[in-house]
Amino acid sequence: MKRFSFCLSMLFVLLGSSTVGAATQQLVSPDGKMAVVLNDNEGKPTYQITRNGIVFLEESPLGLKTNIGDFTQGLTIKEGKVVTVKDEYDLKTIKQSHVNYEATEGTFPCEKDGRHVLDIIFRVSNRDVAFSYRIYPRKDTRVAVVESEASGFSLPTGTTTFLCPQSKPMGGFARTSPSYETSYSLDDTTGKNGWGEGYSFPCLFKNGQNGWILISETGTDGNYVGCRLLNEETTHYRIGFPQAGEMNGIGSVTPAVSLPAVTPWRTITLGETLANIVETTVATDLVHPKYKAKYDYTYGKGSWSWIIGMDGSCNFDEQKRYIDFSAAMGYRSVLIDAFWDRQIGYERMAELARYGKEKGVGIFLWYNSNGSWNDAPQTPIGKMDRSKVRREEMRWMQENGILGIKVDFFGGDKQPMMQLYEDILTDANDYGLQVIFHGCTLPRGWERMYPNYVASEAVLASENLHFGQGACDAEARNAATHPFIRNTVGSMDFGGSTLNKFYSADNKRGTRRMTSDVFALATAVLFQSSVQHFALAPNNMDDAPSWAIDFMKTVPTVWDETRFIDGYPGKYIIMARRSGSKWYVVGINADKEPLKKTLSLPMFSQPSVTVYSDTPQLVGNVKQQKLKKKGQQLTVTIPTNGGLVVTE
């Protein structure tokens, strides 16, 4: 159920400003704390953002260049029409199941040579600012190419950065990059450009002692390109289009649009603390469904053999064992990974699906996205890149009761790739299939735009814990980063929460997990995705603590509310999520010293809670603990690489 309304407010008043030599217009958030000031700045439009009177973004450029006109200069911003936008929606697949959204929206017509050529549209809510452009036809011209955007973000001097460098194209495994799978540089200075190619969204900045800024984008579909953030060796960052070499050189780096056209939203989330960053729903607030769900999609937990057993585990007997394991855990599904078509085959896969149905367990199947844009050899291949073959494959899946697909190895943000994402999702909806993407771009509001979309990887995910000890050594640092950056704007398919001590089928060799069992439980809550394929294994029924298995049987994957409690990117995170009436407060510590905190937990109504915690030696335990009556307080200590879970 959704209600949507526009309340027309008074038209904006032009504020004459002799100091800047141009007329300015101001747009204010509903609570009055956030303000955006627009200025046509002698024909070059700019904006500035303040919060509680403090500058968070200095005067920054607006506009874009197209092949039908340069709309970055020679513009006059006319008086804007301002409305109050209210939207109420329900969405099970994000961090908050029910959202009440309110913002002030200003549409500012821009003229060039006396002709209306462009609208700059701003939305200002109590924690987010967003803007986009509407481009108009020119005489008989009904199509255009957007050659570049001037859209920029000038940060105050002294700002520090928390950024994920964009990879060069056609690099990494089987020339599959970029796929948003690089390590974050934390607490760094401005004035850098990553590895030379800018940064992947979302991008987090610390405005000195004044607060935090998260920059990203939403609403991108097959009508545009996925963008990145480029730096010019200053505190100024700007929107960048894809790299020419992406997709093996296929397609242009610039989007072609039919007119009138509206570009994706550039989003800026602001807060004195990290609460607004962690709790924002801006990615879905600004978009709407592109089609209706044809089926009643459900969500839940699953198991996944590949992360422990790799390609060899994708055989009939092992997947049958994992179906039995999922059934014993009360899980909804198993994810069967690459090479299943060769190592199991279609006929025996249908047999597995029937067996799973008898056990109450459905199947997600892995597919290669290719095409001709990388060298990834994993099969099934050539099934997802063409409509006819794709729909035939999906019809077979529907006939055999397959729940969904995990499509991998994209590597690029050009318009043809964005169109492929959209086509896969649209076709999958016709056949009742949910979709997970891996080796892929960041989701940009897709949970709401595409009702059968589940999650994307777009992060240095759990497979790296299997591949190298360095990733295991850095697991806590990375896990304490994602809730502040990657997972703030979209569902993240990480595939973690293992209870094995080693990443191997016999649990005796390979890379060694450095984090505790309680840490594993905490990340099951920290990492948000409505479908979770955990890295648990059948042997955990015997070799893992019973309290850990019992928790992993019942932990939810859909959430009604999310609250930030405390933390710092890369050091520690404590947050709370609610499912129904039950709250889960979880934390992890990546700092070198034990983390001792006294937490106020007003969400708990009972005098005592269940606490999962670690000793200094990372040995976990679970016990009942009473809260202090004054403020429902609980004093906790989390050791390095340890975790915390508190629930009723």
Side-chain angles (χ1 to χ4, degrees):
M1 179 178 176
K2 179 169 75 73
R3 293 180 290 279
F4 190 70
S5 66
F6 291 93
C7 303
L8 186 63
S9 67
M10 69 177 64
L11 290 179
F12 248 60
V13 178
L14 284 173
L15 304 173
S17 175
S18 59
T19 58
V20 295
T24 62
Q25 300 186 69
Q26 180 172 280
L27 198 65
V28 179
S29 62
D31 64 4
K33 293 182 178 180
M34 303 248 279
V36 175
V37 176
L38 276 78
N39 192 324
D40 62 20
N41 201 22
E42 298 181 349
K44 296 182 178 180
T46 64
Y47 73 105
Q48 182 188 63
I49 303 177
T50 60
R51 181 174 174 84
N52 290 323
I54 296 172
V55 174
F56 273 68
L57 275 188
E58 296 179 347
E59 197 170 48
S60 304
L62 293 165
L64 41 77
K65 290 183 179 181
T66 75
N67 65 344
I68 62 170
D70 180 353
F71 307 135
T72 66
Q73 57 186 342
L75 298 182
T76 301
I77 302 178
K78 308 300 287 185
E79 188 174 8
K81 185 175 80 170
V82 179
V83 298
T84 296
V85 177
K86 293 184 179 181
D87 192 8
E88 183 177 349
Y89 61 95
D90 296 319
L91 197 57
K92 294 180 181 179
T93 52
I94 62 172
K95 67 185 78 169
Q96 183 171 321
S97 63
H98 182 79
V99 178
N100 283 295
Y101 172 68
E102 182 176 358
T104 307
E105 179 180 277
T107 301
F108 301 94
C110 297
E111 291 186 356
K112 185 169 185 176
D113 300 327
R115 185 174 60 87
H116 181 199
V117 295
L118 188 75
D119 289 339
I120 302 175
I121 307 164
F122 266 91
R123 289 263 189 101
V124 186
S125 73
N126 291 342
R127 62 188 174 199
D128 308 293
V129 173
F131 64 89
S132 68
Y133 306 101
R134 183 182 290 113
I135 314 166
Y136 287 96
R138 182 175 183 177
K139 295 183 179 178
D140 295 330
T141 302
R142 294 291 181 267
V143 296
V145 173
V146 180
E147 296 174 342
S148 64
E149 287 193 27
S151 309
F153 313 88
S154 293
L155 297 154
T157 300
T159 297
T160 51
T161 70
F162 301 74
L163 303 175
C164 180
Q166 180 86 302
S167 299
K168 292 184 182 298
M170 302 298 289
F173 171 75
R175 299 198 296 167
T176 57
S177 67
S179 51
Y180 293 62
E181 296 181 28
T182 59
S183 295
Y184 285 88
S185 175
L186 304 179
D187 271 316
D188 207 349
T189 59
T190 56
K192 300 179 181 180
N193 198 36
W195 299 339
E197 306 300 338
Y199 299 97
S200 302
F201 285 126
C203 299
L204 181 66
F205 302 88
K206 188 171 186 283
N207 183 16
Q209 299 304 309
N210 296 319
W212 298 83
I213 307 162
L214 184 78
I215 298 174
S216 193
E217 65 180 0
T218 192
T220 307
D221 58 14
N223 294 311
Y224 215 72
V225 296
C227 295
R228 55 196 162 121
L229 206 60
L230 300 176
N231 184 262
E232 299 171 333
E233 299 183 353
T234 63
T235 59
H236 179 72
Y237 295 77
R238 63 177 176 86
I239 291 293
F241 284 171
Q243 302 167 68
E246 293 177 17
M247 290 186 67
N248 200 19
I250 301 168
S252 171
V253 301
T254 55
V257 297
S258 60
L259 302 176
V262 178
T263 65
W265 292 94
R266 311 300 170 206
T267 66
I268 307 114
T269 302
L270 310 175
E272 288 79 12
T273 72
L274 284 157
N276 281 358
I277 308 299
V278 172
E279 297 171 13
T280 184
T281 54
V282 67
T284 48
D285 292 340
L286 297 164
V287 300
H288 296 281
K290 294 177 71 67
Y291 52 77
K292 291 184 178 180
K294 287 197 173 181
Y295 298 85
D296 185 16
Y297 296 111
T298 59
Y299 310 95
K301 300 177 286 293
S303 63
W304 177 41
S305 71
W306 185 88
I307 184 61
I308 299 297
M310 297 277 104
D311 293 340
S313 71
C314 296
N315 62 72
F316 183 90
D317 291 339
E318 187 68 352
Q319 295 311 310
K320 188 175 181 181
R321 190 166 77 103
Y322 266 80
I323 289 173
D324 291 339
F325 174 52
S326 279
M329 293 291 291
Y331 285 4
R332 170 178 176 258
S333 64
V334 295
L335 167 62
I336 303 179
D337 222 280
F339 295 119
W340 62 264
D341 58 326
R342 295 182 181 180
Q343 296 171 184
I344 297 173
Y346 281 80
E347 288 188 10
R348 299 214 77 190
M349 183 58 71
E351 183 181 342
L352 272 179
R354 291 192 295 272
Y355 180 77
K357 185 176 181 180
E358 293 171 1
K359 295 282 188 174
V361 177
I363 291 174
F364 276 72
L365 289 177
W366 186 97
Y367 282 85
N368 194 327
S369 78
N370 241 344
S372 53
W373 34 85
N374 56 56
D375 301 318
Q378 286 82 353
T379 62
I381 195 168
K383 301 288 188 179
M384 288 292 133
D385 60 311
R386 293 290 187 275
S387 179
K388 183 177 184 298
V389 177
R390 180 171 60 239
R391 292 181 67 85
E392 288 174 352
E393 192 80 0
M394 289 177 173
R395 183 178 294 108
W396 171 85
M397 284 187 266
Q398 184 182 50
E399 290 170 352
N400 286 281
I402 302 301
L403 287 180
I405 54 177
K406 170 183 169 181
V407 189
D408 207 339
F409 298 135
F410 289 87
D413 286 335
K414 292 179 178 178
Q415 192 169 18
M417 192 64 85
M418 293 297 153
Q419 291 168 347
L420 178 63
Y421 285 117
E422 189 165 47
D423 289 346
I424 290 172
L425 286 160
T426 304
D427 285 348
N429 183 59
D430 287 342
Y431 295 99
L433 298 169
Q434 293 177 306
V435 180
I436 299 169
F437 292 123
H438 265 236
C440 59
T441 193
L442 181 78
R444 294 161 164 91
W446 292 357
E447 293 93 336
R448 194 175 182 196
M449 293 164 67
Y450 308 105
N452 57 323
Y453 168 81
V454 173
S456 296
E457 184 182 27
V459 72
L460 202 61
S462 64
E463 63 199 53
N464 297 281
L465 300 169
H466 188 119
F467 294 147
Q469 187 59 42
C472 291
D473 296 342
E475 182 183 8
R477 173 189 182 273
N478 292 330
T481 300
H482 303 322
F484 297 109
I485 309 178
R486 163 62 182 91
N487 215 181
T488 61
V489 298
S491 300
M492 182 178 76
D493 191 65
F494 188 86
S497 294
T498 187
L499 291 173
N500 264 27
K501 297 299 181 185
F502 295 89
Y503 281 88
S504 63
D506 62 9
N507 201 13
K508 295 178 181 178
R509 56 188 172 80
T511 54
R512 180 173 179 268
R513 178 164 60 98
M514 305 303 293
T515 55
S516 72
D517 290 339
V518 180
F519 180 102
L521 307 192
T523 56
V525 176
L526 282 176
F527 297 164
Q528 182 270 319
S529 177
S530 58
V531 173
Q532 293 268 25
H533 288 111
F534 294 122
L536 303 178
N539 53 274
N540 296 149
M541 300 293 280
D542 300 316
D543 60 19
S546 59
W547 50 263
I549 288 294
D550 290 343
F551 179 90
M552 293 302 295
K553 285 180 178 180
T554 60
V555 64
T557 64
V558 293
W559 303 102
D560 296 302
E561 189 175 352
T562 295
R563 292 187 196 172
F564 170 72
I565 296 176
D566 197 5
Y568 194 90
K571 294 183 178 180
Y572 71 99
I573 171 72
I574 302 172
M575 67 187 299
R577 296 196 196 271
R578 177 177 61 85
S579 179
S581 61
K582 188 169 183 177
W583 281 96
Y584 293 77
V585 174
V586 297
I588 58 172
N589 180 26
D591 219 351
K592 294 179 180 179
E593 300 297 328
L595 177 69
K596 187 173 182 179
K597 291 283 181 179
T598 297
L599 308 176
S600 294
L601 304 175
M603 66 282 295
F604 293 121
S605 58
Q606 300 301 316
S608 64
V609 290
T610 301
V611 179
Y612 301 77
S613 60
D614 286 309
T615 67
Q617 295 76 34
L618 299 183
V619 177
N621 63 78
V622 55
K623 61 182 178 181
Q624 291 293 118
Q625 198 164 331
K626 288 193 173 182
L627 299 171
K628 293 181 181 179
K629 291 184 179 179
K630 187 177 181 180
Q632 290 290 85
Q633 289 186 337
L634 181 69
T635 299
V636 300
T637 300
I638 309 177
T640 303
N641 287 337
L644 170 75
V645 177
V646 184
T647 190
E648 288 179 331

